[in-house]
Amino acid sequence: MLKFAIILVVVCLMFRWALGQWPWQMLSAKPTRGQAVFNARKLLRVEDGASREQILAAHKRLVSMVHPDKGGSNAQVHEANDARDLLLDELPSRGADLPPSDE
């Protein structure tokens, strides 16, 4: 039984070394883009269909609370920036809803 445990530990360590993650991390599902957008809205506390100005205002409000100078961390600021960028990417582009110009 001890041999089995040692072999299992060695296999797990080799898996971690070779692939950069533990074997059990491969079993978890990757979040979808829809889940990431939902989490970004939740983090910034904006509703579905929020405008660009609402997203930017929510981002500014959040960053002012989690900034390292205010006792937050760099990771929290990066998470807020990623949420802002993701939500802004989800907005329809300004030129898409305009009719084509006849030039």
Side-chain angles (χ1 to χ4, degrees):
M1 186 68 172
L2 184 60
K3 287 182 184 179
F4 179 71
I6 292 173
I7 291 171
L8 185 63
V9 168
V10 169
V11 167
C12 286
L13 289 173
M14 290 179 67
F15 193 92
R16 168 78 175 174
W17 176 77
L19 300 177
Q21 57 185 353
W22 297 107
W24 52 87
Q25 290 175 320
M26 296 290 285
L27 299 175
S28 64
K30 303 287 186 222
T32 63
R33 185 163 176 93
Q35 290 170 333
V37 169
F38 174 78
N39 290 337
R41 283 193 189 111
K42 188 174 160 186
L43 179 67
L44 292 180
R45 296 183 180 149
V46 295
E47 295 180 7
D48 187 17
S51 69
R52 178 179 177 81
E53 291 75 24
Q54 291 170 329
I55 293 169
L56 293 175
H59 172 261
K60 185 175 181 179
R61 186 172 48 249
L62 178 62
V63 168
S64 70
M65 292 188 303
V66 300
H67 195 274
D69 292 342
K70 303 278 184 164
S73 68
N74 284 337
Q76 290 173 314
V77 173
H78 288 294
E79 188 176 359
N81 290 342
D82 291 342
R84 176 203 59 203
D85 294 342
L86 181 63
L87 291 179
L88 290 177
D89 285 345
E90 286 294 309
L91 291 176
S93 63
R94 290 184 181 185
D97 55 354
L98 297 176
S101 62
D102 295 327
E103 292 185 47

